[in-house]
Amino acid sequence: MDQRKRVFSGIQPTGDAHLGNYLGVFQRWAQMVDEYECYYCIVDLHAITQDYTRDQLMQRVFDLTLSLIASGIDPEKCTLFVQSHVPQHTELTWLFNIAVGVGDLQRMTQFKEKSTGLESVNAGLLNYPVLQAADILLYRADFVPVGNDQRQHLELSRGIARKWNARFGDFFPEPETLTGAGSRVLGLDGVSKMSKSKDNTVPMLAGPEELWSRIRTAVTDPARVRKNDPGNPHVCNVFALHEFFTQSSVRADIEIRCQTANLGCVDCKQTLSDNVAEHLEPVREKVAELRAKPDQVLEILADGATRAREEAERTMSVVCERMGLGRKTLSEGIRKLTAQG
Ligand code: TYM
């Protein structure tokens, strides 16, 4: 039995992974596998709450698996799997529906954002955070590393754990949210978080040319209109991104030259673009290598699902027993009740 604290986190296969995902999630996930017992999940059941096609979804699940492994997440040191391969996620979601109010779900910021302007809102979008709570609590995780945007969902997961424990007896730990550097990477607009839905992303697997065509368009210090105006690096998202990809001595130099109008934004972006390309080159190569071995990748996911299912079954047997559900609970329960007369 692994004595380490347990970590669970998930990511949706909803499009090309971007620098926000890479800095906010992939790098941290990769670092955590030695210290914690980690479960990392590609949450395809969450992704289907938005428009998709069958082939596109499968391709995205596969591509995301490649990006995760290529970013250094070692599948031998963690359990990497796809959510729909472990049916207990859906089962526990249904059971948790009785531990959360519809009003609480309607108040979720992400629900409001995703449902605004839609003619009809599917119930999956509303129940999205219940499935997320089931993901985490199924593995009785202690810690959940996520970006800042997930804090509210995590608070709801804790509430569900509390309510369930109060009614059926203490069982689920209240998971702690872990955020850190890279928890809110801004997009190229410099104001909102980098997000697939905002078209403000830098795709992490883009080649040097595509990187430059994206990074070129990044908004910098809005007060700096002409090249000869001094800039303020501390309000500039390009400078914020240098933090992750550029050596500190070079960064210090950029800072001073920007403040003294000795470095133009285009040159500053070019340096960033070159450094991002160089940093991610080995990841791109590894993705290409893995893409040529689909069977090996699918085997990794199959192994992950097998391990995850074992743990999920352990949780579900306790949950069903406490809630009076399932065949085993029923036969034992009826035998006992009959004996008591
Ligand atoms: P998703 O796919 O939208 O995001 C996956 C993770 O990436 C983080 N993230 C960012 N971090 C920093 N800067 C950004 N610009 C940025 N954009 C995205 C998100 O915070 C998230 O950590 N609902 C989850 C998926 C999920 C999950 C879970 C997470 C389902 N079940 C259980 C943790 C535990 C989500 O937003 O996925």
Side-chain angles (χ1 to χ4, degrees):
M1 176 92 177
D2 199 326
Q3 297 300 318
R4 294 175 300 175
K5 292 272 188 192
R6 199 173 276 177
V7 159
F8 182 96
S9 197
I11 178 162
Q12 300 185 78
T14 40
D16 291 342
H18 52 73
L19 289 188
N21 298 129
Y22 178 73
L23 300 170
V25 173
F26 297 10
Q27 285 196 322
R28 289 168 69 216
W29 286 12
Q31 283 159 8
M32 294 181 99
V33 297
D34 288 316
E35 194 178 343
Y36 301 100
E37 184 191 2
C38 297
Y39 287 83
Y40 295 140
C41 186
I42 296 173
V43 294
D44 52 351
L45 297 171
H46 279 106
I48 63 167
T49 58
Q50 288 179 354
D51 252 4
Y52 78 102
T53 68
R54 175 181 179 274
D55 289 356
Q56 182 190 53
L57 179 67
M58 292 187 289
Q59 191 64 56
R60 285 174 170 177
V61 167
F62 184 70
D63 289 350
L64 186 53
T65 311
L66 303 185
S67 294
L68 290 168
I69 301 172
S71 300
I73 295 158
D74 182 349
E76 304 224 320
K77 292 187 177 173
C78 66
T79 301
L80 177 65
F81 69 104
V82 180
Q83 192 182 31
S84 67
H85 301 184
V86 182
Q88 287 84 355
H89 287 249
T90 332
E91 196 181 348
L92 189 58
T93 303
W94 180 255
L95 306 186
F96 279 167
N97 273 327
I98 64 160
V100 62
V102 172
D104 290 335
L105 296 175
Q106 284 168 331
R107 271 191 291 278
M108 290 290 115
T109 310
Q110 285 209 341
F111 172 70
K112 287 194 217 154
E113 276 172 13
K114 285 184 183 166
S115 57
T116 310
L118 292 185
E119 221 165 79
S120 92
V121 177
N122 73 62
L125 218 44
L126 183 68
N127 282 305
Y128 180 113
V130 188
L131 176 58
Q132 183 160 348
D135 294 341
I136 298 164
L137 298 174
L138 194 52
Y139 302 93
R140 305 178 74 222
D142 301 292
F143 299 117
V144 186
V146 281
N148 268 347
D149 59 340
Q150 294 302 303
R151 284 189 162 278
Q152 197 184 32
H153 284 170
L154 265 289
E155 200 45 60
L156 191 90
S157 297
R158 273 197 291 278
I160 289 178
R162 260 196 309 275
K163 264 201 193 159
W164 193 96
N165 287 345
R167 178 152 174 208
F168 299 105
D170 220 17
F171 178 58
F172 291 113
E174 285 182 37
E176 215 177 287
T177 312
L178 291 186
T179 52
S183 291
R184 188 165 188 267
V185 176
L186 295 184
L188 293 169
D189 52 13
V191 284
S192 40
K193 76 157 192 170
M194 192 175 282
S195 163
K196 293 155 209 165
S197 60
K198 294 244 163 68
D199 192 27
N200 65 0
T201 66
V202 180
M204 66 172 268
L205 295 181
E209 274 159 39
E210 192 190 349
L211 277 178
W212 175 235
S213 79
R214 299 291 295 165
I215 291 175
R216 248 179 82 230
T217 66
V219 174
T220 53
D221 172 3
R224 191 176 189 194
V225 182
R226 286 173 303 261
K227 198 176 169 182
N228 295 339
D229 294 336
N232 178 359
H234 303 287
V235 298
C236 173
N237 191 37
V238 171
F239 188 70
L241 286 170
H242 271 293
E243 170 84 30
F244 299 101
F245 298 100
T246 305
Q247 273 181 2
S248 59
S249 56
V250 179
R251 255 182 8 246
D253 182 56
I254 289 174
E255 187 175 7
I256 293 175
R257 288 170 60 212
C258 169
Q259 286 165 333
T260 53
N262 282 307
L263 177 72
C265 292
V266 174
D267 292 337
C268 179
K269 290 177 188 178
Q270 184 70 65
T271 308
L272 176 67
S273 185
D274 293 346
N275 291 353
V276 173
E278 193 184 324
H279 179 100
L280 287 168
E281 173 68 24
V283 179
R284 277 203 308 279
E285 279 171 9
K286 183 77 186 163
V287 164
E289 204 182 289
L290 289 165
R291 194 180 290 289
K293 300 183 229 164
D295 290 346
Q296 194 179 313
V297 176
L298 295 170
E299 183 78 29
I300 288 172
L301 292 177
D303 275 1
T306 304
R307 271 183 280 145
R309 225 176 290 133
E310 280 166 16
E311 190 54 34
E313 269 165 20
R314 274 195 278 277
T315 297
M316 287 313 294
S317 80
V318 175
V319 168
C320 286
E321 199 270 324
R322 300 255 183 113
M323 294 182 77
L325 299 167
R327 210 176 65 195
K328 184 162 169 270
T329 309
L330 184 68
S331 29
E332 285 172 7
I334 290 298
R335 237 177 268 136
K336 214 163 156 191
L337 289 172
T338 312
Q340 285 167 359

